[in-house]
Amino acid sequence: MKILVINAGSSSFKYQLIDMTDESVIAKGLCERIGSAGNIKHTAADGRVYKADYPMPTHMEAFDCLIYALTKSEAKVIDSLDEINAVGHRVVQGGDFYSQSVVINEDVLKTVESFNELAPLHNPANLMGVRACIKAFGENVPQVAVFDTSFHQTMPPRAFMYGIPYEYYEKYGVRRYGFHGASHRFVSERCAEIMGKKKEDLKIITCHLGNGCSIAAVDGGKSIDTSMGFTPLDGFMMGTRCGTLDPSILTFIAEKENITPAEMSNILNKKSGMLGISGVSNDNRDITAAANEGNERAKLAFEMQRYQIVKFVGSYIAAMNGVDAIVFTGGIGENDSAVRKYVMDSMTYMGIYCGDANADIHGEEGLVSTPDSKVPVYVIPTNEELVIARDALALTK
Ligand code: ADP
């Protein structure tokens, strides 16, 4: 049982081939610069590497190249595509139509396409990947879409509606959707396993802190609220994204600077957040180095981000009337012990205390609160590819 997982962007895609008998990664890689020169880096689990420049005018040629890497290259891992049971695709926006993953057919493609304007930076690229993959692999290999949004479809209207005229929800689907669903689902389920309890009996707050960041309130295994909203811009400060703002700021700056909606979107998505405040970088490692050298704006960026995380976690404790566990994941959540310590030090009111282990846990599973904290705080590395592979297997078995 082998599942290929694809995460396609407009000019690149990442992939993993996973053996579902033991959920191990057989090979993984990246096709880049699709639309121009094109290249692939493919690594087999035993360390063999295939690297090549390969003309990739479209995603189609990139998939041909991937098939070559998998079946014929010096780092080949299978003899033929017949060994692949299904392909699972990450698709960012499933609108309010898909509350679960789905086997892809022409109807599904059309429905997902109708959500493109809700996620113009991601969905069209995801779909381009899906269509090219179907052509390259042929009809016999089933393809499954796993949506970033579907885990959050359990949010009640009071959490997903915005306080603007109702007609914008009806006409355009303006509402909170939430993202990183596969990650929040994976780490909340794993958290229940670690605690030896049923997810149905737990209130868990999951903090996915990476380049993009979101926090979710997971009550009884269901997402009841999350910080990202209509788009992945909402919530708290991220690498380059602003998080929640007073909406009047947008019209004020647009008028002062005479900029278009597209320019404003670019500023909020690419020039804001940790980069915008620190002026140094979007990466916490660079900002840490700058802060250690005394850079005041780098220090301010950290203080803002951490304070905003604490406020979201606190608001979800209130929303769920309590919490049984808190989970950190994503590049920052898994590695940056200073962020975790700040958050735990702000929750002594909950009987949560930062444990000695926190400083030593980087990229691995572990308890980072003291063993006698009233609410345990865990690091759980996320694995969105595995979620996609498991869904693809379950739907096509
Ligand atoms: P993405 O959201 O693109 O998937 P990741 O989840 O990989 O990103 O997170 C990337 C971020 O994680 C980096 O920008 C960096 O800020 C942070 N990060 C990664 N490793 C470390 C580390 N050792 N210490 C602090 N921050 C780290």
Side-chain angles (χ1 to χ4, degrees), residues 81-260:
L81 291 188
D82 295 342
E83 292 178 47
I84 298 181
N85 298 75
V87 182
H89 294 269
R90 178 185 183 198
V91 179
V92 164
Q93 180 54 275
D96 51 11
F97 196 80
Y98 294 110
S99 55
Q100 270 164 2
S101 305
V102 63
V103 178
I104 297 172
N105 58 29
E106 212 29 62
D107 284 346
V108 170
L109 284 175
K110 284 199 185 109
T111 308
V112 177
E113 230 157 43
S114 72
F115 304 130
N116 276 1
E117 65 176 6
L118 296 179
L121 300 178
H122 297 105
N123 251 38
N126 300 154
L127 287 177
M128 214 149 47
V130 175
R131 285 194 187 281
C133 191
I134 292 172
K135 270 202 198 136
F137 282 76
E139 300 285 320
N140 292 337
V141 185
Q143 316 263 337
V144 169
V146 179
F147 303 98
D148 270 29
T149 47
S150 56
F151 182 61
H152 301 298
Q153 278 296 303
T154 43
M155 281 189 289
R158 65 167 185 249
F160 72 65
M161 290 299 290
Y162 291 109
I164 54 175
Y166 195 80
E167 64 186 275
Y168 298 126
Y169 167 61
E170 292 178 305
K171 281 205 281 197
Y172 308 122
V174 177
R175 50 158 284 178
R176 179 181 304 284
Y177 290 100
F179 299 88
H180 289 142
S183 177
H184 290 295
R185 188 172 121 205
F186 179 82
V187 299
S188 59
E189 287 176 358
R190 178 70 195 129
C191 178
E193 260 173 44
I194 294 171
M195 294 173 77
K197 297 196 172 151
K198 285 201 236 149
K199 64 181 179 185
E200 288 76 13
D201 297 332
L202 291 171
K203 298 172 180 185
I204 303 175
I205 294 175
T206 48
C207 306
H208 179 112
L209 312 178
N211 242 324
C213 301
S214 67
I215 298 181
V218 184
D219 193 348
K222 292 181 176 156
S223 170
I224 60 121
D225 207 345
T226 189
S227 59
M228 281 182 171
F230 178 58
T231 70
L233 251 192
D234 200 0
F236 50 97
M237 263 172 54
M238 313 174 206
T240 60
R241 295 178 223 158
C242 56
T244 303
L245 296 177
D246 176 346
S248 304
I249 295 169
L250 311 191
T251 44
F252 180 84
I253 295 177
E255 278 170 17
K256 287 276 181 206
E257 303 259 317
N258 196 20
I259 51 180
T260 62

Side-chain angles (χ1 to χ4, degrees), residues 208-212 282-285 330-332 335-336:
H208 179 112
L209 312 178
N211 242 324
N282 64 315
D283 192 304
N284 271 19
R285 287 163 290 196
I332 296 171
N335 292 294
D336 196 330

Side-chain angles (χ1 to χ4, degrees), residues 25 127 141 187 267 273 350-351 367 391:
V25 176
L127 287 177
V141 185
V187 299
I267 291 167
M350 287 293 298
L367 180 74
D391 277 11

Side-chain angles (χ1 to χ4, degrees), residues 340-358:
R340 301 190 304 243
K341 178 166 167 33
Y342 182 98
V343 177
M344 285 186 273
D345 286 348
S346 308
M347 292 200 298
T348 50
Y349 75 98
M350 287 293 298
I352 295 174
Y353 298 94
C354 181
D356 293 339
N358 178 56

